[in-house]
């Protein structure tokens, strides 16, 4: 074991054992040799929060220091499991209490999509950095409100785009930038899975803001942007629905969409809640290609180019994401692919343009 790891363990052991006491000054020195630890309150303790919480156990620079939930029993269970004392467990109604708590730097919002903006704005007003899960909101207007509120409060707004730190993804971006694929002409993004329980929030237009596009199609949108390395200027889109009972008005089951980029490159993508094993990116240029399958799942990500397979070992996406978020917030690090509110807003604008294109059947310009 390296001396660095020993050091981290020496620092983090008392964090687990000792209670948090003061509201005015932190009861701990949350500093390691790499800089200060990002003290994170998890808000919304559901399926994804569970994955993030587990992954954070291996973080070097981020730690769960508080829990916020609408379900008291979850606060107890999670508090025990992650050694978060009662004083640092809050209901949604008690959010105000985080304001002067020195053991919280940032709140990670992992609720159904509709509630991201409302919680984000409140958290910003309470002076804490905001981490929002994707999609950052259910519409462009709310996404902009989140950005404005964070700017006004002088806090950072980050979106949980975990792929922006994934090594294979970053290597392909590097190769494209080095010209290894030549002039980029085409991207294909396939994102989908078969959704289960028809009563879940993901199939509720209000809570989700739509259907598959908001949830999984966003990976193809975001991926097209970082793989091609440009911002799309137009979209066309077509919707197909085989089950109008499960996928009600405003909840998309499947959307095929195309995007055009300033260079002339085009993307052809599929977003669906009706097909499994759909997680593929394909980038083609005049000199070569890159293929990732799976491309955005929790991994291992498998990537190859015309020259052969990439061999980066699997990393837990949420672990590196949270360590990188610590560096962005505490050290002002600029990530290779942005994860800020403006980045999230770009995807929201494209999603709205796609919905408009589905309705009109016409090509829609992205402003
Ligand atoms: P989930 O249903 O498993 O968990 C949602 C949590 O929010 C639950 O704890 C639930 O009790 C709570 N909740 C339910 N309704 C609520 C409401 N109206 N107001 C406040 N809280 C409410 O969902 P999930 O899969 O954990 O997804 C949560 C968020 O994380 C979504 O925005 C989703 O898009 C995102 N997500 C991201 C990834 C990723 O890889 N980045 C993966 C999964 C989910």
């Amino acid at each position: 074991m390296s001396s660095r790891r020993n050091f981290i363990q020496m620092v983090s052991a008392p964090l687990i054992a000792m209670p948090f006491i003061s509201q005015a000054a932190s009861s701990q020195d949350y500093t390691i040799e790499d800089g200060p630890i990002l003290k994170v309150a998890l808000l919304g303790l559901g399926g994804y929060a569970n994955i993030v919480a587990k992954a954070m156990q291996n973080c070097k620079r981020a730690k769960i220091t508080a829990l916020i939930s609408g379900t008291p029993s979850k606060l107890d269970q999670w508090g025990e499991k992650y050694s978060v004392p009662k004083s640092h467990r809050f209901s949604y109604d008690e959010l105000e209490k985080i304001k002067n708590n020195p053991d919280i730097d940032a709140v990670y919002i992992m609720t159904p999509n509709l509630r991201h903006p409302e919680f984000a704005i409140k958290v910003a007003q309470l002076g804490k950095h905001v981490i929002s899960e994707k999609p950052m909101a259910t519409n462009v207007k709310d996404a902009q409100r989140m950005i404005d509120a964070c700017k006004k409060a002088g806090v950072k707004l980050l979106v949980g785009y975990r792929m922006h730190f994934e090594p294979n993804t970053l290597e392909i971006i590097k190769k494209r930038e080095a010209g290894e694929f030549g002039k980029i002409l085409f991207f294909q993004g396939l994102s989908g899975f078969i959704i289960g329980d028809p009563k879940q929030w993901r199939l509720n237009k209000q809570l989700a803001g739509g259907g598959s596009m908001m949830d999984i199609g966003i990976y193809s949108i975001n991926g097209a942007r970082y793989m091609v390395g440009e911002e799309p200027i137009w979209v066309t889109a077509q919707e197909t629905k085989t089950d109008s009972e499960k996928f009600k008005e405003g909840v998309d089951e499947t959307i095929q969409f195309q995007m055009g980029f300033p260079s002339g490159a085009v993307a052809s993508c599929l977003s669906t809640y009706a097909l499994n094993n759909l997680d593929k990116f394909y980038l083609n240029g005049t000199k070569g290609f890159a293929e990732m399958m799976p491309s955005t799942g929790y991994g291992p990500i498998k990537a190859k180019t015309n020259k052969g397979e990439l061999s980066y070992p699997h990393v837990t996406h949420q672990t590196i994401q949270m360590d990188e978020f610590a560096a962005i917030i505490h050290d002002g690090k600029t990530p290779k692919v942005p994860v800020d509110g403006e980045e999230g807003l770009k995807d929201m604008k494209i999603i709205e343009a796609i919905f408009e294109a589905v309705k009109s059947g016409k090509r829609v310009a992205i402003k």
Side-chain angles (χ1 to χ4, degrees), residues 163-177 226 292 310 312 320 335-337:
M163 299 314 296
H164 293 198
F165 307 105
E166 196 280 319
N168 294 284
T169 306
L170 291 173
E171 183 60 22
I172 286 176
I173 293 171
K174 209 165 115 190
K175 286 179 184 298
R176 184 206 71 230
E177 286 176 343
Y226 62 68
M292 302 178 73
L310 269 61
Y312 285 91
I320 44 172
K336 171 81 188 147
V337 188

Side-chain angles (χ1 to χ4, degrees), residues 43-52 69-71 74 78 92 108-116 118-119 132-136 160-162 200-202 207 214-215 219 296-298 317-318 321:
L43 186 156
L45 307 179
Y48 194 58
N50 194 32
I51 288 167
V52 169
S69 168
T71 314
K74 279 194 200 162
W78 284 56
Y92 292 147
Y108 194 163
I109 301 162
M110 289 178 276
T111 61
N113 309 337
L114 174 76
R115 300 214 65 188
H116 298 173
E118 169 197 344
F119 281 125
S132 168
E133 250 319 310
K134 46 57 56 179
M136 67 187 288
Y161 286 124
R162 60 187 162 76
Q200 64 184 288
W201 68 262
R202 282 183 165 79
L207 289 172
M214 283 284 176
D215 191 35
Y219 285 97
T296 66
Y298 297 149
H317 301 170
Q318 296 80 7
Q321 173 195 285

